[in-house]
Each structure stands twice: as C-alpha cells, then as structure tokens.
Amino acid sequence: MKISIERAVLLKAVGQAQSVVERRNTIPILANVLIEADGADVTFRATDLDIEVVDKVPAMVERAGATTVNAVMLHEIVRKLPDGATVSLSSDDATGRLSIEAGRSSFSLATLPKEDFPVMASSEYTANFSAAAPVLRRLFDKSKFAISTEETRYYLNGVYLHVSEAEGGRVLRAVATDGHRLARVDADLPPGAEEMPGVIVPRKTVGELRKLLDDDEAQIAVSVSETKVRFATPGITLTSKVIDGTFPDYTRVIPTGNTKKMEVDAQEFAKAVDRVATVSSERSRAVKLQLDEDKLVLSVNAPDAGAAEEELVVAYGDDRLEIGFNAKYLLEIASQVDRENAVFMFNSSGEPALMREGNDTSAIYVVMPMRV
C-alpha cells in the first residue's frame, strides 16, 4: 500500500479513530486502526468491539492495499507534523512496517496483519431515517449531562432514544437520568422513524457521535435495530451496540401537579448559584432556595467552611417556600437554557422540581431536592 494525503484530512480521520480505541486493552489489534486504500479513497476503521467508526477520505492512492497500525501513535505523529504538509504512507508486508514521510521527517511503525482486525458483523436494521445534524445535536447535548456513571445500574449509562406520544403527536424523544436528575428532550418525528425500537445509546457512543454533528447542514442517516444503532454522514459511519437492558418508566418521576412557578434569568441564576456554592462542603454541595413574593434568596451554610447568601429578583407569586438542591445539578440544568428565562415549577420542599425554558415543553428537566 502506498498513499499520499493532506495532513489536515489525515489528522481528522485518525483523530476520530484513536478516540474510539480503548487505551487499556489486552488485545493488541484493538489498539490499531485499519487503513484500507482503494481507488481514490482511503478508509480508516477503528473499534473497541462495542463501537466501530469508519472514516472514508479522499487521497492519492499509488498502490492499493491495507494494513493496521497503532492508532494513538499515528495520531500523535500526524498531530506534530507541520500544517499544510503532504503525508506519504507506505506499508511493506515483508518487513511488517508502515513508513510515514512528510517533508524531512520520516517514521517507521510496527504493523499487525489486517486479517486479525475484527470487523463488526452487519445486521438488519428495523428502522432507517434521516435527521438533520442540529436536531440530533440538541437531543443528545441537552440530555447527556444526566447520564448515570454508576456501573451497577448499567441501563442508566446512556441516553434512551425512542418514539413517544406528546401533546402535539408522536415525537422522537431522548431521556437520561441518574436517579437524582432527569432530562427529557423531544424533536419532531422524522419520516421513517415510526417503527423504531427504543434503544439505550451508551455514553461513549454519545460522545463519539457528537463529533459527527458539528456541521449544521449535514443530514445524518440513522439506522436502528434492537441491538445496534448506526449514524452515518457521507464520509463517516459510526456503528454501536446498544445497552442490553430495560430503561425504567421515567414518566412516573416527572411531576405533573407542581403549581408554584418561579421565572428567573437562567444565566443570572447559574452565576449566583455558582458564587454561593463556593463555600459549600465538597461532599454535599447543598444550596438552599428561599422563595418569597418576587424574591429568591440563595444560601449556603457550611459549619466548617463558612456561609454565603445572595438575593435575586424573580417572578414568583405563590406561598413562601424553602427547598434545597445540589448546586452542581442546578448549574447543569440552568446551563441547558439557550434563549428564554428558566421556569421552575415547585410543589413542596420534599418533592422534585421541574424546569423548562419559557413555555417550551419540548425539553424538560427534573431535579430531586435534598435536605438542608
């Protein structure tokens, strides 16, 4: 195999590949990226046996062929090469080496036979549809902060993507929760997605998928089956196994009877919470909210560290209320608000609070209170 390729194109492709590769693995071939040159394209393929990413880029192919080389090492080399360089890659099966040349630099890396590289088995997908990148970006970006990191409740270690009923008809919905907070985000149901089975997309897949969604003009081809999900742009295909488990009935924890309404500027609220939380103890990070007519007092009292208090002007016309929350959770949900004010709906100091953006019910957040 012998190819010439621009550094910027190579860096992007290898960067995508090396982030999928697991740093700590016992199977040497899984640390490698499979490079296949054919026609006028080069394909870079990497996998950790749960996720597979395939990136197809244009290159000058002098001699077709394929080899595998350490993904992290290749990425580091390409990253350190000068901008605008043309990189030449050539593999020699006899010596088992891949030569990398750019300008006056030359490297020789050990390779492993391409036959050893595991290729994810293809599967039949029950639903195939197309969605705009900004739509998927909003679904995952606004929900991923609530993904659980607890390994024991593995079925919460991802975003539950499914078709659901909403007030205006059927929607494509993303839900994530860790038991302390919950995010539920809706988008219009794309044509072809009606028969989609509900799947739990793993946390790592959500992170990798995010890199495909930066281009606002891109259309993403989505394919879903009971065991796998695939996201494809014209150049990159990301295939992932889904979490084998049942996502809990999240509708039970979304409060419907909360009537006490507070409206506040989300950015001002987040900054104030951040300021008072500075003195809170690392373990609890509890912030108390005292609500009175059109006034919110945020306070923290940490006996070993000190105390803090800040007053905010809010729109609130209900009974006096005192309620405590984890500061980190409040900051995370407040940062999801893009345009309008944050609207919080409370019931009592011991019941979960609901937050949305203005009157928009397509994205709602639930956060559990804590005793303060």
Side-chain angles (χ1 to χ4, degrees), residues 84-168:
T86 299
V87 185
S88 161
L89 304 177
S90 57
S91 69
D92 184 343
D93 291 342
T95 59
R97 296 274 162 179
L98 175 76
S99 302
I100 305 162
E101 291 177 7
R104 295 181 180 183
S105 309
S106 64
F107 302 85
S108 173
L109 300 183
T111 63
L112 287 171
K114 62 180 186 294
E115 292 77 21
D116 294 351
F117 195 85
V119 174
M120 201 177 257
S122 59
S123 58
E124 292 294 314
Y125 292 99
T126 40
N128 296 282
F129 59 93
S130 182
V135 172
L136 289 176
R137 190 168 66 213
R138 176 178 173 275
L139 281 173
F140 286 107
D141 275 5
K142 285 186 174 298
S143 58
K144 67 183 179 189
F145 74 90
I147 295 175
S148 172
T149 51
E150 248 182 88
E151 295 300 324
T152 48
R153 300 165 79 187
Y154 62 93
Y155 47 85
L156 297 181
N157 294 164
V159 172
Y160 182 42
L161 190 68
H162 60 297
V163 178
S164 185
E165 297 291 338
E167 289 161 17

Coordinates of all heavy atoms in Angstrom, one line a residue, residues 84-168:
G84 N -0.3 21.9 6.6 CA -0.1 22.0 5.1 C 0.8 21.0 4.5 O 1.0 20.9 3.3
A85 N 1.3 20.1 5.4 CA 2.2 19.1 4.8 C 1.4 18.0 4.1 O 0.3 17.7 4.4 CB 3.0 18.4 6.0
T86 N 2.1 17.4 3.1 CA 1.5 16.2 2.4 C 2.2 15.0 3.0 O 3.4 14.9 3.1 CB 1.8 16.3 0.9 OG1 1.1 17.4 0.4 CG2 1.2 15.0 0.2
V87 N 1.4 14.1 3.5 CA 1.9 12.9 4.2 C 1.9 11.7 3.3 O 0.9 11.4 2.7 CB 1.1 12.6 5.5 CG1 1.8 11.5 6.3 CG2 1.0 13.9 6.4
S88 N 3.0 11.0 3.3 CA 3.0 9.8 2.5 C 3.1 8.6 3.4 O 3.9 8.5 4.3 CB 4.3 9.8 1.6 OG 4.6 8.5 1.1
L89 N 2.2 7.6 3.2 CA 2.1 6.4 4.0 C 2.4 5.2 3.1 O 1.7 5.1 2.0 CB 0.7 6.2 4.6 CG 0.2 7.3 5.5 CD1 -1.2 6.9 6.0 CD2 1.1 7.5 6.7
S90 N 3.3 4.4 3.4 CA 3.5 3.2 2.6 C 3.8 2.0 3.5 O 4.6 2.1 4.4 CB 4.7 3.4 1.6 OG 5.9 3.7 2.3
S91 N 3.2 0.9 3.2 CA 3.4 -0.3 4.1 C 4.1 -1.4 3.3 O 4.0 -1.5 2.1 CB 2.0 -0.9 4.5 OG 1.3 -1.4 3.4
D92 N 5.0 -2.1 4.0 CA 5.7 -3.2 3.4 C 5.4 -4.5 4.2 O 5.8 -4.6 5.4 CB 7.2 -2.9 3.6 CG 8.1 -3.9 2.9 OD1 7.6 -5.0 2.6 OD2 9.3 -3.6 2.6
D93 N 4.7 -5.4 3.5 CA 4.2 -6.6 4.2 C 5.4 -7.5 4.6 O 5.4 -8.2 5.6 CB 3.3 -7.4 3.3 CG 1.9 -6.7 3.2 OD1 1.7 -5.8 4.0 OD2 1.2 -7.0 2.3
A94 N 6.5 -7.4 3.8 CA 7.7 -8.3 4.1 C 8.3 -7.9 5.5 O 8.7 -8.8 6.2 CB 8.7 -8.1 3.0
T95 N 8.4 -6.6 5.7 CA 9.1 -6.2 7.0 C 8.1 -5.9 8.1 O 8.4 -5.8 9.3 CB 9.9 -4.9 6.8 OG1 9.0 -3.9 6.3 CG2 11.0 -5.1 5.8
G96 N 6.8 -5.8 7.7 CA 5.7 -5.6 8.7 C 5.8 -4.2 9.3 O 5.6 -3.9 10.5
R97 N 6.2 -3.2 8.4 CA 6.4 -1.8 8.9 C 5.5 -0.9 8.0 O 5.3 -1.1 6.8 CB 7.8 -1.4 8.8 CG 8.8 -2.2 9.7 CD 8.8 -1.6 11.0 NE 9.4 -2.5 12.0 CZ 9.5 -2.2 13.3 NH1 9.2 -1.0 13.8 NH2 10.0 -3.0 14.2
L98 N 5.1 0.2 8.6 CA 4.4 1.3 7.9 C 5.4 2.5 7.9 O 5.8 3.0 9.0 CB 3.1 1.7 8.5 CG 2.4 2.9 7.9 CD1 1.7 2.5 6.6 CD2 1.3 3.4 8.8
S99 N 5.7 3.0 6.7 CA 6.6 4.2 6.7 C 5.7 5.4 6.5 O 4.8 5.5 5.7 CB 7.6 4.1 5.5 OG 8.3 2.9 5.6
I100 N 6.1 6.5 7.3 CA 5.3 7.7 7.3 C 6.4 8.8 6.9 O 7.4 8.9 7.6 CB 4.7 8.1 8.6 CG1 3.8 6.9 9.1 CG2 3.9 9.4 8.5 CD1 3.4 7.0 10.5
E101 N 6.1 9.5 5.8 CA 7.1 10.6 5.4 C 6.3 11.9 5.2 O 5.3 11.9 4.5 CB 7.9 10.1 4.2 CG 8.8 9.0 4.5 CD 9.5 8.5 3.3 OE1 9.4 9.1 2.2 OE2 10.2 7.5 3.4
A102 N 6.9 13.0 5.7 CA 6.4 14.3 5.4 C 7.5 15.3 5.5 O 8.2 15.4 6.6 CB 5.3 14.6 6.5
G103 N 7.8 16.0 4.4 CA 8.9 16.9 4.4 C 10.2 16.2 4.7 O 10.5 15.2 4.1
R104 N 10.9 16.6 5.8 CA 12.2 16.0 6.1 C 12.0 14.9 7.3 O 13.0 14.4 7.7 CB 13.2 17.0 6.6 CG 13.6 18.0 5.5 CD 14.6 19.0 5.9 NE 15.0 19.9 4.9 CZ 15.9 20.8 5.0 NH1 16.5 21.0 6.2 NH2 16.2 21.6 4.0
S105 N 10.8 14.7 7.7 CA 10.5 13.8 8.8 C 10.2 12.4 8.2 O 9.5 12.3 7.2 CB 9.3 14.2 9.6 OG 9.5 15.5 10.0
S106 N 10.7 11.4 8.8 CA 10.3 10.0 8.4 C 10.2 9.1 9.7 O 11.0 9.2 10.6 CB 11.2 9.4 7.4 OG 12.5 9.2 8.0
F107 N 9.1 8.3 9.7 CA 8.9 7.4 10.8 C 8.6 6.0 10.2 O 8.2 5.8 9.1 CB 7.6 7.8 11.5 CG 7.7 9.2 12.1 CD1 7.3 10.3 11.3 CD2 8.1 9.5 13.4 CE1 7.4 11.6 11.7 CE2 8.1 10.8 13.9 CZ 7.8 11.8 13.0
S108 N 8.9 5.0 11.1 CA 8.6 3.6 10.7 C 7.9 3.0 11.9 O 8.5 2.9 12.9 CB 9.9 2.9 10.3 OG 9.6 1.5 10.1
L109 N 6.7 2.5 11.6 CA 5.9 2.0 12.8 C 5.6 0.5 12.5 O 5.4 0.1 11.4 CB 4.6 2.7 12.9 CG 4.6 4.2 13.2 CD1 3.2 4.7 13.4 CD2 5.4 4.5 14.5
A110 N 5.6 -0.3 13.6 CA 5.2 -1.7 13.5 C 3.8 -1.9 13.2 O 2.9 -1.1 13.6 CB 5.5 -2.4 14.9
T111 N 3.5 -2.9 12.4 CA 2.1 -3.1 12.0 C 1.7 -4.5 12.4 O 2.5 -5.3 12.8 CB 1.9 -3.0 10.4 OG1 2.7 -4.0 9.8 CG2 2.3 -1.7 9.9
L112 N 0.4 -4.7 12.4 CA -0.2 -6.1 12.6 C -1.0 -6.5 11.4 O -1.5 -5.6 10.7 CB -1.1 -6.1 13.9 CG -0.4 -6.0 15.2 CD1 -1.3 -5.8 16.4 CD2 0.5 -7.2 15.5
P113 N -1.1 -7.8 11.1 CA -1.8 -8.2 9.9 C -3.3 -7.8 9.9 O -4.0 -7.9 10.9 CB -1.7 -9.7 9.8 CG -1.1 -10.1 11.1 CD -0.5 -8.9 11.8
K114 N -3.7 -7.3 8.7 CA -5.1 -6.8 8.6 C -6.1 -7.9 8.8 O -7.2 -7.6 9.2 CB -5.3 -6.1 7.2 CG -5.1 -7.1 6.0 CD -5.4 -6.3 4.7 CE -5.4 -7.3 3.5 NZ -4.0 -7.9 3.3
E115 N -5.7 -9.1 8.6 CA -6.6 -10.3 8.7 C -7.1 -10.4 10.2 O -8.1 -11.0 10.5 CB -6.0 -11.6 8.2 CG -5.8 -11.7 6.7 CD -4.5 -10.9 6.3 OE1 -3.7 -10.6 7.2 OE2 -4.5 -10.5 5.1
D116 N -6.3 -10.0 11.1 CA -6.6 -10.1 12.6 C -7.6 -9.1 13.0 O -8.1 -9.2 14.1 CB -5.3 -10.0 13.4 CG -4.3 -11.1 13.1 OD1 -4.7 -12.1 12.4 OD2 -3.2 -11.0 13.6
F117 N -7.8 -8.1 12.2 CA -8.7 -7.0 12.7 C -10.2 -7.4 12.7 O -10.7 -7.8 11.7 CB -8.5 -5.7 11.7 CG -9.0 -4.5 12.3 CD1 -8.2 -3.7 13.2 CD2 -10.3 -4.0 12.1 CE1 -8.7 -2.5 13.7 CE2 -10.8 -2.8 12.6 CZ -10.0 -2.1 13.5
P118 N -10.8 -7.2 13.9 CA -12.2 -7.6 14.0 C -13.2 -6.6 13.3 O -13.1 -5.4 13.5 CB -12.5 -7.6 15.5 CG -11.5 -6.6 16.0 CD -10.3 -6.6 15.1
V119 N -14.0 -7.1 12.4 CA -15.0 -6.2 11.7 C -16.3 -6.5 12.3 O -16.7 -7.7 12.5 CB -15.0 -6.5 10.2 CG1 -16.1 -5.7 9.5 CG2 -13.6 -6.1 9.6
M120 N -17.1 -5.5 12.7 CA -18.4 -5.6 13.3 C -19.3 -6.3 12.4 O -19.4 -5.9 11.2 CB -18.9 -4.3 13.8 CG -19.9 -4.4 14.9 SD -20.5 -2.7 15.4 CE -19.6 -2.6 17.0
A121 N -20.0 -7.3 12.9 CA -21.0 -8.0 12.0 C -22.1 -7.1 11.5 O -22.6 -6.3 12.3 CB -21.6 -9.2 12.7
S122 N -22.4 -7.2 10.3 CA -23.5 -6.3 9.8 C -24.8 -6.9 10.3 O -25.0 -8.1 10.5 CB -23.5 -6.2 8.3 OG -23.6 -7.5 7.7
S123 N -25.8 -6.0 10.5 CA -27.1 -6.5 11.0 C -28.2 -5.8 10.2 O -28.0 -4.8 9.6 CB -27.2 -6.3 12.5 OG -27.1 -5.0 12.8
E124 N -29.4 -6.4 10.3 CA -30.6 -5.9 9.7 C -31.1 -4.8 10.6 O -31.2 -5.0 11.8 CB -31.6 -7.0 9.5 CG -31.3 -8.0 8.4 CD -31.2 -7.4 7.0 OE1 -32.1 -6.7 6.7 OE2 -30.2 -7.6 6.3
Y125 N -31.4 -3.6 10.0 CA -32.0 -2.5 10.9 C -33.5 -2.4 10.6 O -34.0 -2.5 9.5 CB -31.3 -1.2 10.5 CG -29.9 -1.2 10.9 CD1 -28.8 -1.4 10.0 CD2 -29.5 -1.0 12.3 CE1 -27.5 -1.4 10.4 CE2 -28.2 -1.0 12.7 CZ -27.2 -1.2 11.8 OH -25.9 -1.2 12.2
T126 N -34.3 -2.3 11.7 CA -35.7 -2.3 11.6 C -36.2 -0.9 11.2 O -37.3 -0.8 10.6 CB -36.4 -2.7 12.9 OG1 -35.6 -2.1 14.0 CG2 -36.4 -4.1 13.1
A127 N -35.5 0.1 11.5 CA -35.9 1.5 11.1 C -34.7 2.2 10.5 O -33.6 2.2 11.0 CB -36.4 2.2 12.3
N128 N -34.9 2.9 9.4 CA -33.9 3.8 8.8 C -34.6 5.1 8.5 O -35.6 5.2 7.9 CB -33.5 3.1 7.4 CG -32.8 1.8 7.6 OD1 -31.6 1.8 8.0 ND2 -33.5 0.7 7.4
F129 N -33.9 6.2 9.0 CA -34.5 7.5 8.7 C -33.3 8.5 8.7 O -32.2 8.2 9.0 CB -35.5 7.9 9.8 CG -35.0 7.9 11.2 CD1 -34.5 9.1 11.7 CD2 -35.0 6.8 12.0 CE1 -34.0 9.1 13.0 CE2 -34.6 6.8 13.3 CZ -34.1 8.0 13.8
S130 N -33.6 9.7 8.2 CA -32.6 10.8 8.1 C -33.0 11.9 9.0 O -34.2 12.3 9.1 CB -32.6 11.2 6.6 OG -31.6 12.2 6.5
A131 N -32.1 12.5 9.7 CA -32.3 13.6 10.6 C -31.2 14.6 10.4 O -30.1 14.3 10.2 CB -32.4 13.1 12.1
A132 N -31.6 15.9 10.6 CA -30.6 17.0 10.4 C -29.7 17.0 11.7 O -30.1 16.7 12.8 CB -31.4 18.3 10.3
A133 N -28.4 17.3 11.4 CA -27.4 17.3 12.5 C -27.8 18.1 13.7 O -27.7 17.7 14.8 CB -26.1 17.7 12.0
P134 N -28.4 19.4 13.5 CA -28.7 20.2 14.6 C -29.8 19.5 15.5 O -29.9 19.8 16.7 CB -29.2 21.5 14.0 CG -28.6 21.5 12.7 CD -28.5 20.1 12.2
V135 N -30.7 18.8 14.9 CA -31.8 18.1 15.6 C -31.2 17.1 16.6 O -31.5 17.0 17.8 CB -32.8 17.5 14.7 CG1 -33.8 16.6 15.4 CG2 -33.5 18.5 13.8
L136 N -30.3 16.2 16.0 CA -29.7 15.2 16.9 C -28.8 15.8 17.9 O -28.7 15.3 19.1 CB -28.9 14.2 16.0 CG -29.7 13.3 15.1 CD1 -28.8 12.4 14.2 CD2 -30.6 12.3 15.9
R137 N -28.1 16.9 17.5 CA -27.2 17.5 18.4 C -28.0 18.0 19.7 O -27.5 17.9 20.8 CB -26.5 18.7 17.7 CG -25.4 19.3 18.5 CD -24.6 20.2 17.6 NE -25.3 21.4 17.2 CZ -25.2 22.0 16.0 NH1 -24.3 21.5 15.1 NH2 -25.9 23.1 15.7
R138 N -29.1 18.6 19.4 CA -29.9 19.2 20.5 C -30.4 18.0 21.4 O -30.4 18.1 22.6 CB -31.1 20.0 19.9 CG -32.1 20.5 21.0 CD -33.2 21.3 20.4 NE -34.2 21.6 21.3 CZ -35.3 20.8 21.7 NH1 -35.4 19.6 21.1 NH2 -36.1 21.2 22.6
L139 N -30.9 16.9 20.8 CA -31.4 15.8 21.6 C -30.4 15.3 22.5 O -30.6 15.0 23.7 CB -31.9 14.7 20.6 CG -33.2 14.8 20.0 CD1 -33.4 13.7 19.0 CD2 -34.4 14.8 21.0
F140 N -29.2 15.1 22.0 CA -28.1 14.4 22.9 C -27.4 15.5 23.8 O -27.1 15.2 24.9 CB -27.1 13.7 22.0 CG -27.6 12.4 21.4 CD1 -28.0 12.3 20.1 CD2 -27.8 11.3 22.2 CE1 -28.5 11.1 19.6 CE2 -28.3 10.1 21.7 CZ -28.7 10.0 20.4
D141 N -27.2 16.7 23.3 CA -26.5 17.7 24.1 C -27.2 18.0 25.3 O -26.7 18.3 26.4 CB -26.2 18.9 23.3 CG -24.9 18.8 22.5 OD1 -24.3 17.7 22.5 OD2 -24.5 19.8 21.8
K142 N -28.6 18.2 25.2 CA -29.4 18.6 26.3 C -29.7 17.5 27.3 O -30.2 17.8 28.3 CB -30.7 19.3 25.8 CG -30.5 20.7 25.2 CD -31.8 21.3 24.8 CE -31.6 22.7 24.4 NZ -31.1 23.6 25.4
S143 N -29.5 16.3 26.9 CA -29.8 15.2 27.8 C -28.6 14.5 28.4 O -28.7 13.9 29.5 CB -30.7 14.1 27.1 OG -30.0 13.6 25.9
K144 N -27.4 14.6 27.8 CA -26.3 13.7 28.2 C -25.8 14.0 29.6 O -25.2 13.1 30.2 CB -25.2 13.7 27.1 CG -24.5 15.1 27.0 CD -23.4 15.0 25.9 CE -22.7 16.4 25.8 NZ -21.9 16.4 24.6
F145 N -26.0 15.2 30.1 CA -25.4 15.5 31.4 C -26.0 14.7 32.5 O -25.5 14.5 33.6 CB -25.6 17.0 31.7 CG -27.0 17.4 32.1 CD1 -27.5 17.4 33.4 CD2 -27.9 17.8 31.1 CE1 -28.8 17.7 33.7 CE2 -29.3 18.1 31.4 CZ -29.7 18.0 32.7
A146 N -27.3 14.2 32.2 CA -28.0 13.4 33.3 C -27.7 11.9 33.2 O -28.2 11.1 34.0 CB -29.5 13.6 33.1
I147 N -26.8 11.5 32.3 CA -26.4 10.0 32.2 C -25.8 9.6 33.5 O -24.9 10.3 34.0 CB -25.5 9.8 31.0 CG1 -26.2 10.1 29.7 CG2 -25.0 8.4 31.0 CD1 -25.3 10.0 28.4
S148 N -26.2 8.5 34.0 CA -25.6 7.9 35.2 C -24.2 7.4 35.0 O -23.9 6.8 33.9 CB -26.5 6.8 35.8 OG -25.8 6.2 36.8
T149 N -23.3 7.5 36.0 CA -22.0 6.9 35.9 C -21.9 5.6 36.8 O -20.8 5.1 36.9 CB -20.9 7.9 36.3 OG1 -21.2 8.4 37.6 CG2 -20.8 9.0 35.3
E150 N -23.0 5.3 37.4 CA -23.0 4.1 38.3 C -23.0 2.8 37.4 O -23.9 2.6 36.7 CB -24.3 4.1 39.1 CG -24.0 4.3 40.6 CD -25.3 4.3 41.4 OE1 -25.7 3.2 41.8 OE2 -26.0 5.3 41.5
E151 N -22.0 2.0 37.6 CA -21.9 0.8 36.8 C -22.9 -0.2 37.1 O -23.3 -1.0 36.3 CB -20.5 0.2 36.9 CG -19.3 1.1 36.3 CD -19.5 1.4 34.8 OE1 -20.0 0.5 34.1 OE2 -19.2 2.5 34.4
T152 N -23.3 -0.2 38.4 CA -24.3 -1.2 38.8 C -25.7 -1.0 38.1 O -26.3 -2.0 37.9 CB -24.5 -1.2 40.4 OG1 -24.8 0.2 40.7 CG2 -23.3 -1.7 41.1
R153 N -26.0 0.2 37.9 CA -27.3 0.4 37.2 C -26.9 0.7 35.7 O -27.1 1.9 35.2 CB -28.0 1.6 37.8 CG -28.4 1.3 39.3 CD -28.8 2.5 40.0 NE -30.2 2.9 39.8 CZ -30.7 4.0 40.2 NH1 -30.0 4.9 40.9 NH2 -32.0 4.3 39.9
Y154 N -26.4 -0.3 35.1 CA -25.9 -0.1 33.7 C -26.9 0.4 32.7 O -26.5 1.1 31.7 CB -25.3 -1.5 33.2 CG -26.3 -2.6 33.1 CD1 -26.9 -2.8 31.9 CD2 -26.6 -3.4 34.2 CE1 -27.9 -3.8 31.8 CE2 -27.6 -4.3 34.1 CZ -28.2 -4.5 32.9 OH -29.2 -5.5 32.7
Y155 N -28.2 0.1 32.9 CA -29.2 0.5 32.0 C -29.4 2.0 32.0 O -30.1 2.6 31.2 CB -30.5 -0.2 32.3 CG -30.9 -0.2 33.7 CD1 -31.6 0.8 34.3 CD2 -30.6 -1.3 34.5 CE1 -31.9 0.9 35.6 CE2 -30.9 -1.3 35.9 CZ -31.6 -0.2 36.4 OH -31.9 -0.2 37.8
L156 N -28.8 2.7 33.0 CA -28.9 4.2 33.0 C -27.6 4.8 32.5 O -27.5 6.1 32.5 CB -29.1 4.7 34.5 CG -30.4 4.2 35.2 CD1 -30.4 4.8 36.6 CD2 -31.6 4.6 34.4
N157 N -26.7 4.0 32.0 CA -25.4 4.5 31.5 C -25.5 5.0 30.0 O -24.5 4.9 29.2 CB -24.3 3.5 31.6 CG -23.9 3.1 33.0 OD1 -23.3 2.1 33.3 ND2 -24.4 3.9 34.0
G158 N -26.6 5.6 29.6 CA -26.8 6.0 28.3 C -28.0 6.9 28.1 O -28.7 7.2 29.1
V159 N -28.3 7.3 26.9 CA -29.5 8.1 26.5 C -30.5 7.2 25.9 O -30.2 6.5 24.9 CB -29.1 9.3 25.6 CG1 -30.3 10.0 25.1 CG2 -28.2 10.2 26.3
Y160 N -31.7 7.2 26.4 CA -32.8 6.3 25.9 C -33.5 7.1 24.8 O -34.1 8.1 25.0 CB -33.8 6.1 27.0 CG -35.0 5.2 26.7 CD1 -34.8 4.0 25.9 CD2 -36.2 5.5 27.1 CE1 -35.8 3.2 25.5 CE2 -37.3 4.6 26.8 CZ -37.1 3.5 26.0 OH -38.2 2.7 25.7
L161 N -33.2 6.6 23.5 CA -33.8 7.2 22.3 C -35.0 6.4 21.9 O -34.8 5.2 21.6 CB -32.7 7.3 21.2 CG -33.0 8.1 20.0 CD1 -33.0 9.6 20.3 CD2 -31.9 7.9 18.9
H162 N -36.1 7.0 21.8 CA -37.3 6.2 21.5 C -38.4 7.1 20.9 O -38.3 8.4 20.9 CB -37.8 5.5 22.7 CG -38.2 6.4 23.8 ND1 -37.3 7.3 24.4 CD2 -39.4 6.7 24.4 CE1 -37.9 8.0 25.4 NE2 -39.2 7.7 25.4
V163 N -39.4 6.5 20.3 CA -40.6 7.2 19.8 C -41.6 7.3 20.9 O -41.9 6.3 21.6 CB -41.2 6.5 18.6 CG1 -42.4 7.2 18.1 CG2 -40.1 6.4 17.5
S164 N -42.2 8.5 21.2 CA -43.2 8.6 22.2 C -44.3 9.5 21.8 O -44.2 10.2 20.8 CB -42.4 9.2 23.5 OG -43.3 9.2 24.6
E165 N -45.4 9.5 22.6 CA -46.5 10.4 22.4 C -46.3 11.6 23.2 O -46.0 11.6 24.4 CB -47.8 9.7 22.9 CG -48.2 8.4 22.2 CD -48.6 8.6 20.7 OE1 -49.0 9.8 20.4 OE2 -48.5 7.7 19.9
A166 N -46.6 12.8 22.6 CA -46.5 14.1 23.3 C -47.8 14.8 23.0 O -48.7 14.3 22.2 CB -45.3 14.9 22.8
E167 N -47.9 16.0 23.5 CA -49.2 16.7 23.3 C -49.5 17.0 21.8 O -50.7 16.9 21.4 CB -49.1 18.1 24.0 CG -49.1 18.0 25.5 CD -48.6 19.2 26.2 OE1 -48.5 20.3 25.6 OE2 -48.2 19.1 27.4
G168 N -48.5 17.2 21.0 CA -48.8 17.6 19.6 C -48.7 16.4 18.7 O -48.7 16.5 17.5

